[in-house]
Amino acid sequence: MASLTFLGAAREVTGSCHLLESPALGRVLLDCGMHQGGDAVKRIHEEEFAFDPATIDAVLLSHAHLDHSGLLARLYREGFRGRLLCTRATAALLDIMLHDAVGLYLRDLERENLRHVRRGQPEIDPVYDESDVEAVLGLCEGFPYGERIEVGEGGVVVFHDAGHILGSAIIEIVLNEGEHSKTLVFSGDLGKLDSVLMNPPQTLHKADVVLLESTYGDREHRCEEDSLEELRDILHDTWRQGGSVMIPAFAVGRTQDILFQLGLLHQQGELDNWQVFLDSPMAIAVTGVYDRWLKLLDHDEVRKLSDVHRASLEGFLPTLQMSREVEESMAINRIKGGAIIIAGSGMCTGGRIRHHLKQRIWDARNTLIFTGYQARGTLGRIIVDGARHIKLWGEDYVVKARVETLGGLSAHAGQSGLVDWISQFQPVPQVMLVHGEFEAQEALAERLWRERKLHVDIPRRGQRMEF
């Protein structure tokens, strides 16, 4: 008998983590992600594992985003010594993501401890550090899509292309227990069919249980062509006003999409005379990884991307400037108008984007463009929901900048994409909706029942099921 316990991304979007237990496989985690939103140090220190990390035999990682991978170093610190399995491209990205995350965490912790010292309070010890990142990366094994990987005494794992970001995977797990065989499929995060930089998500047809993401279970996306037109119009309007544009960007996936779209506008003569700044050392490093792996994609458009993803971007987006150093980032503040600033983090929970918000969000000539999902509790979600005032480093700032959301640049499938993907399974499997807010999951569940007569379950955090 196998069992699943839903420990994160259950009726919520972030913190993906599910515990699979089976005699064939042992004790295996599907993802080990952190929750996002609120104070970064407090959030990390409040995370607790509902199991002993030393008892985990393996982690199967769907992709490198931190809400799926961000607690791996802490897992190691608390005793994990098993296998860490993912795709090869995910392994390359994970090295960048985890090192960047620990650097930000330790810098935030240092600032917090300075406040503690001034107040006469004891300092806070880190829950993990760089040595834990290095150690857990040493456990990482990268595999190509489609390869059968033996895990445990009777388990077989196969990674399939999820089309979400570089290296993202749908995880297929076959459990051979005596004369019985069962198949579990974890969708991970599924991409869109019309994404230029990604292949369409692969379709699978057989499973006993499917864990299906539901981030956009209640809405559709505009197509990428329409989103490019919308982006062009927003940029033109802001240019005429003499303002600048801030784009909080996820370093993996979304940043590369945005650079490609801006490059297209430039090639079409539609970019005015914008100065474009990529103000994220991690995004710059990730873009280099994309350059090495994009040859695996099937799209004709990818032939253009050998230029797009070189450090200089010569001939495709010549106005792009890479801001690696803090001084280069600060120098952008001296530009009063005509700057497109792409900076992390994507949900405004940290990183350089918050410094740019401090400099520009109070000016009505400027525009703030969100290109991805904003989780509850994040500063990005607060702004998208219409806040007129926000707090940055304890100070109040009025929100006068124009705020826009380009859903068509999302790396997630919309509702119809999710419905079409899960409908390929025959016979109908047991379906559990994960990685979505409850309202979105209810909307997806209602449509699946109305159109496909497919009943799904929406597990709560901590819920356990046997199959």
Side-chain angles (χ1 to χ4, degrees), residues 4 18 20 22 24-25 28-30 60 149 151 154-160 170-176 181-186 204 206-209 211 467:
L4 263 172
H18 314 288
L20 173 60
S22 162
L25 204 66
V28 171
L29 291 185
L30 307 179
L60 308 180
I149 310 157
V151 181
V156 175
V157 173
V158 181
F159 294 113
H160 303 276
I170 301 160
I171 305 177
E172 179 184 14
I173 306 165
V174 179
L175 306 174
N176 299 302
S181 176
K182 300 171 185 174
T183 300
L184 167 72
V185 171
F186 173 38
L204 281 71
K206 181 181 181 301
D208 298 288
V209 178
L211 273 60
F467 64 97

Side-chain angles (χ1 to χ4, degrees), residues 219 370 373-388 390 399 403 405 437:
R219 71 195 85 168
F370 290 98
Y373 188 83
Q374 304 298 306
R376 282 178 176 165
T378 63
L379 179 58
R381 179 63 169 266
I382 291 168
I383 296 172
V384 167
D385 284 346
R388 303 314 304 164
I390 61 171
V399 179
V403 178
T405 299
E437 293 179 2

